[in-house]
Structures are given as structure tokens and as C-alpha cells.
Coordinates of all heavy atoms in Angstrom, one line a residue:
I1400 N -74.0 9.8 -180.7 CA -74.3 10.3 -179.3 C -75.4 11.3 -179.4 O -75.2 12.5 -179.4 CB -73.1 10.9 -178.6 CG1 -71.8 10.0 -178.8 CG2 -73.4 11.1 -177.1 CD1 -70.6 10.7 -178.4
P1401 N -76.7 10.8 -179.5 CA -77.8 11.7 -179.8 C -78.1 12.8 -178.8 O -78.9 13.7 -179.0 CB -78.9 10.8 -180.1 CG -78.6 9.5 -179.4 CD -77.1 9.4 -179.4
V1402 N -77.5 12.7 -177.6 CA -77.8 13.7 -176.6 C -77.0 15.0 -176.8 O -77.2 16.0 -176.1 CB -77.5 13.2 -175.2 CG1 -78.4 12.1 -174.8 CG2 -76.0 12.9 -175.0
V1403 N -76.1 15.0 -177.8 CA -75.3 16.2 -178.1 C -75.5 16.6 -179.6 O -75.7 15.7 -180.4 CB -73.8 16.1 -177.8 CG1 -73.5 16.0 -176.4 CG2 -73.2 14.9 -178.5
S1404 N -75.5 17.8 -179.9 CA -75.6 18.3 -181.3 C -74.3 18.4 -181.9 O -73.2 18.4 -181.2 CB -76.3 19.7 -181.3 OG -75.5 20.7 -180.8
I1405 N -74.3 18.6 -183.2 CA -73.0 18.8 -183.9 C -72.3 20.2 -183.4 O -71.1 20.3 -183.4 CB -73.1 18.7 -185.4 CG1 -74.0 19.8 -186.0 CG2 -73.5 17.3 -185.8 CD1 -74.0 19.8 -187.5
E1406 N -73.2 21.1 -183.0 CA -72.6 22.3 -182.4 C -72.0 22.0 -181.0 O -70.9 22.5 -180.7 CB -73.7 23.4 -182.2 CG -73.2 24.7 -181.6 CD -74.3 25.7 -181.4 OE1 -75.4 25.3 -180.9 OE2 -74.1 26.8 -181.7
D1407 N -72.7 21.2 -180.2 CA -72.1 20.9 -178.9 C -70.8 20.2 -179.0 O -69.9 20.5 -178.2 CB -73.1 19.9 -178.2 CG -74.4 20.5 -177.7 OD1 -74.5 21.7 -177.5 OD2 -75.4 19.7 -177.6
L1408 N -70.6 19.4 -180.0 CA -69.3 18.7 -180.2 C -68.2 19.5 -180.8 O -67.1 19.2 -180.8 CB -69.5 17.4 -181.0 CG -70.1 16.2 -180.3 CD1 -70.3 15.0 -181.3 CD2 -69.3 15.8 -179.1
G1409 N -68.6 20.7 -181.4 CA -67.7 21.5 -182.0 C -67.3 21.1 -183.4 O -66.3 21.6 -183.9
I1410 N -68.1 20.3 -184.0 CA -67.8 19.9 -185.4 C -68.5 20.8 -186.4 O -68.1 20.8 -187.6 CB -68.1 18.4 -185.7 CG1 -69.5 18.1 -185.5 CG2 -67.2 17.5 -184.8 CD1 -69.9 16.7 -185.9
L1411 N -69.5 21.6 -186.0 CA -70.1 22.6 -186.8 C -69.2 23.8 -186.8 O -69.0 24.5 -185.8 CB -71.5 23.0 -186.3 CG -72.2 24.1 -187.1 CD1 -72.4 23.7 -188.5 CD2 -73.5 24.4 -186.4
R1412 N -68.5 24.1 -187.9 CA -67.5 25.1 -188.0 C -68.0 26.5 -188.5 O -67.7 27.5 -188.0 CB -66.3 24.7 -188.8 CG -65.6 23.4 -188.4 CD -65.2 23.4 -187.0 NE -64.3 24.5 -186.6 CZ -64.3 25.1 -185.5 NH1 -65.0 24.7 -184.5 NH2 -63.5 26.1 -185.3
E1413 N -68.8 26.4 -189.5 CA -69.3 27.7 -190.1 C -70.6 27.4 -190.9 O -70.8 26.3 -191.4 CB -68.2 28.3 -191.0 CG -68.5 29.6 -191.5 CD -67.4 30.3 -192.1 OE1 -66.2 29.9 -192.0 OE2 -67.6 31.4 -192.7
V1414 N -71.4 28.4 -191.0 CA -72.6 28.4 -191.9 C -72.5 29.7 -192.7 O -72.5 30.8 -192.1 CB -73.9 28.3 -191.1 CG1 -75.1 28.3 -192.0 CG2 -73.9 27.0 -190.3
R1415 N -72.6 29.6 -194.0 CA -72.6 30.8 -194.9 C -73.9 30.8 -195.7 O -74.3 29.7 -196.1 CB -71.4 30.7 -195.8 CG -70.0 30.7 -195.2 CD -68.9 30.7 -196.2 NE -67.7 30.3 -195.6 CZ -67.0 29.1 -195.8 NH1 -67.5 28.2 -196.6 NH2 -65.9 28.9 -195.1
V1416 N -74.4 32.0 -195.9 CA -75.6 32.1 -196.8 C -75.2 33.1 -197.8 O -74.9 34.3 -197.5 CB -76.8 32.6 -196.0 CG1 -78.0 32.7 -196.9 CG2 -77.1 31.6 -194.8
G1417 N -75.3 32.7 -199.1 CA -75.0 33.6 -200.2 C -76.2 34.5 -200.5 O -77.3 34.2 -200.1
P1418 N -76.0 35.6 -201.3 CA -77.0 36.5 -201.7 C -78.1 35.8 -202.5 O -79.2 36.3 -202.5 CB -76.3 37.6 -202.4 CG -75.0 37.1 -202.8 CD -74.7 36.0 -201.8
D1419 N -77.8 34.7 -203.1 CA -78.7 33.9 -203.9 C -79.5 32.9 -203.1 O -80.3 32.2 -203.6 CB -78.0 33.2 -205.1 CG -76.9 32.2 -204.6 OD1 -76.7 32.2 -203.4 OD2 -76.4 31.5 -205.5
G1420 N -79.2 32.9 -201.8 CA -79.9 31.9 -200.9 C -79.2 30.6 -200.7 O -79.6 29.8 -199.9
H1421 N -78.1 30.4 -201.4 CA -77.3 29.1 -201.3 C -76.7 29.1 -199.9 O -76.1 30.0 -199.4 CB -76.2 29.1 -202.4 CG -75.4 27.9 -202.2 ND1 -75.8 26.6 -202.6 CD2 -74.1 27.7 -201.8 CE1 -74.8 25.8 -202.4 NE2 -73.8 26.4 -201.9
V1422 N -76.9 27.9 -199.2 CA -76.4 27.8 -197.9 C -75.2 26.8 -197.9 O -75.3 25.7 -198.6 CB -77.5 27.2 -196.9 CG1 -76.9 27.0 -195.5 CG2 -78.6 28.2 -196.8
Q1423 N -74.1 27.1 -197.3 CA -73.0 26.2 -197.2 C -72.7 26.0 -195.7 O -72.5 27.0 -194.9 CB -71.7 26.8 -197.8 CG -70.5 25.9 -197.8 CD -69.3 26.5 -198.5 OE1 -69.0 27.7 -198.2 NE2 -68.6 25.8 -199.3
V1424 N -72.7 24.7 -195.3 CA -72.5 24.3 -193.9 C -71.1 23.6 -193.9 O -70.9 22.7 -194.7 CB -73.6 23.4 -193.4 CG1 -73.3 22.9 -192.0 CG2 -74.9 24.0 -193.5
V1425 N -70.2 24.1 -193.0 CA -68.9 23.6 -192.9 C -68.8 22.7 -191.6 O -69.1 23.3 -190.5 CB -67.8 24.7 -192.9 CG1 -66.4 24.1 -192.8 CG2 -68.0 25.5 -194.2
I1426 N -68.4 21.5 -191.8 CA -68.2 20.6 -190.6 C -66.8 20.0 -190.6 O -66.2 19.8 -191.7 CB -69.3 19.5 -190.5 CG1 -69.3 18.6 -191.8 CG2 -70.6 20.1 -190.3 CD1 -70.3 17.5 -191.8
T1427 N -66.3 19.6 -189.5 CA -65.0 19.0 -189.3 C -65.2 17.7 -188.5 O -65.8 17.7 -187.4 CB -64.0 19.9 -188.5 OG1 -63.8 21.1 -189.3 CG2 -62.7 19.2 -188.3
P1428 N -64.7 16.6 -189.0 CA -64.9 15.3 -188.3 C -64.0 15.3 -187.0 O -63.0 16.0 -186.9 CB -64.4 14.2 -189.2 CG -63.4 15.0 -190.1 CD -63.9 16.4 -190.2
T1429 N -64.5 14.5 -186.0 CA -63.7 14.3 -184.8 C -62.4 13.7 -185.1 O -61.4 13.8 -184.3 CB -64.5 13.5 -183.7 OG1 -64.8 12.3 -184.3 CG2 -65.7 14.3 -183.3
Y1430 N -62.3 12.9 -186.1 CA -61.0 12.4 -186.6 C -61.2 12.0 -188.1 O -62.3 11.7 -188.5 CB -60.5 11.1 -185.8 CG -61.4 9.9 -186.0 CD1 -61.1 8.9 -186.9 CD2 -62.5 9.7 -185.2 CE1 -61.9 7.8 -187.0 CE2 -63.4 8.6 -185.4 CZ -63.0 7.6 -186.3 OH -63.8 6.5 -186.4
S1431 N -60.1 12.1 -188.9 CA -60.2 11.8 -190.3 C -60.7 10.3 -190.5 O -60.2 9.4 -189.8 CB -58.9 12.0 -191.0 OG -57.9 11.2 -190.6
G1432 N -61.6 10.1 -191.3 CA -62.2 8.8 -191.6 C -63.3 8.5 -190.7 O -63.8 7.3 -190.7
C1433 N -63.8 9.4 -189.9 CA -65.0 9.2 -189.0 C -66.2 8.7 -189.9 O -66.6 9.5 -190.8 CB -65.3 10.5 -188.3 SG -66.8 10.3 -187.3
P1434 N -66.7 7.6 -189.6 CA -67.8 7.0 -190.4 C -69.2 7.8 -190.2 O -70.1 7.6 -191.0 CB -68.0 5.6 -189.9 CG -67.4 5.6 -188.6 CD -66.3 6.6 -188.5
A1435 N -69.3 8.6 -189.2 CA -70.5 9.3 -188.9 C -70.7 10.5 -189.8 O -71.8 11.1 -189.9 CB -70.6 9.7 -187.4
M1436 N -69.6 10.9 -190.5 CA -69.7 12.2 -191.3 C -70.8 12.1 -192.4 O -71.5 13.1 -192.7 CB -68.4 12.6 -191.8 CG -67.4 12.9 -190.8 SD -68.0 14.0 -189.4 CE -68.2 15.5 -190.3
E1437 N -70.9 11.0 -193.0 CA -71.9 10.9 -194.1 C -73.3 11.0 -193.5 O -74.2 11.6 -194.1 CB -71.7 9.6 -194.9 CG -70.6 9.8 -195.9 CD -70.7 11.0 -196.8 OE1 -71.8 11.3 -197.4 OE2 -69.7 11.7 -196.9

């Protein structure tokens, strides 16, 4: 559904940035096994 972002859908849970610059993005699927996650 390209009119909404992953933030709009609430699947973007967290974004962390380490002191070394490493970024970790945490997402949750709308249901387990959601084929869109990849």
C-alpha cells in the first residue's frame, strides 16, 4: 500500500544509532509470516 509509510502503519518500532554509527531499525510485521517484510 504505497500511500502509507511503515511509520504510518505502525510497523516501524524503533531506530537505534550506536556510538560507532551502526544503525539498527526494528520493525514488526502486521502478522507473522507477512511476505512484505523482506
Side-chain angles (χ1 to χ4, degrees):
I1400 311 166
V1402 297
V1403 291
S1404 71
I1405 62 174
E1406 179 184 44
D1407 292 333
L1408 282 180
I1410 63 175
L1411 177 61
R1412 302 306 307 147
E1413 188 167 350
V1414 177
R1415 301 180 194 110
V1416 180
D1419 61 353
H1421 177 75
V1422 177
Q1423 183 181 45
V1424 178
V1425 180
I1426 57 177
T1427 298
T1429 55
Y1430 67 96
S1431 63
C1433 175
M1436 295 316 290
E1437 283 308 311

